[in-house]
C-alpha cells in the first residue's frame, strides 16, 4: 500500500504512515488508506497529494477528513510557502524597509 502512496507523492506516503501508527489495529489503518486510494479515481493524484499535505499540517488522520478536504476544495486553497531564496515581489505599492525610518 505504501508503494501506491509513493506513486502519488511524499505527503501521501507520510499521511499513510501516520494513519498506520495512529490506529490500534492494522486493519483499521489499512481500510482508511484503501479508502483514500479510492478517492484518486474521483479527484486525481494531484488533489490527493495536496489534501494529504494539508492533512499532515493540521493533524488529520482519517479517510473522512481527507474526503472533507477534497469536497470543500480546501486542498485547492492550500498554498505552499514560498522558498526563502525566492526573489522578493516587485511592485509599485510595496514600499520595502527603506521607506520606514
Amino acid at each position: 500500500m505504501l508503494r501506491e502512496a509513493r506513486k502519488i507523492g511524499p505527503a501521501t506516503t507520510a499521511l499513510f504512515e501516520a494513519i498506520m501508527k495512529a490506529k490500534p489495529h492494522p486493519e483499521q489503518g489499512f481500510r482508511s488508506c484503501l479508502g483514500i486510494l479510492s478517492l484518486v479515481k474521483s479527484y486525481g493524484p494531484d488533489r490527493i497529494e495536496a489534501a494529504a499535505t494539508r492533512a499532515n499540517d493540521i493533524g488529520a488522520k482519517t479517510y473522512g477528513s481527507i474526503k472533507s478536504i477534497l469536497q470543500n476544495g480546501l486542498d485547492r486553497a492550500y498554498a505552499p510557502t514560498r522558498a526563502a531564496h525566492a526573489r522578493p515581489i516587485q511592485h509599485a505599492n510595496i514600499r520595502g524597509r527603506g521607506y520606514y525610518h
Side-chain angles (χ1 to χ4, degrees):
M1 184 167 353
L2 287 177
R3 190 174 335 128
E4 295 298 319
R6 285 188 196 102
K7 291 178 185 177
I8 297 171
T12 306
T13 305
L15 177 65
F16 279 23
E17 289 171 352
I19 288 172
M20 295 303 284
K21 287 179 186 175
K23 300 293 182 178
H25 300 289
E27 294 83 8
Q28 292 173 335
F30 186 76
R31 289 183 61 81
S32 292
C33 294
L34 281 178
I36 294 168
L37 286 175
S38 72
L39 293 173
V40 174
K41 294 175 188 173
S42 300
Y43 295 100
D46 293 334
R47 288 197 61 198
I48 297 297
E49 180 67 8
T53 302
R54 184 176 179 99
N56 288 332
D57 287 349
I58 64 173
K61 296 180 182 88
T62 64
Y63 163 80
S65 298
I66 301 300
K67 188 172 181 180
S68 177
I69 289 169
L70 292 166
Q71 286 177 338
N72 294 311
L74 298 175
D75 59 305
R76 292 179 180 151
Y78 184 79
T81 57
R82 287 179 22 144
H85 63 278
R87 292 186 45 190
I89 298 171
Q90 299 296 323
H91 191 272
N93 291 337
I94 300 176
R95 296 182 185 115
R97 70 177 168 192
Y99 177 80
Y100 300 97
H101 295 53

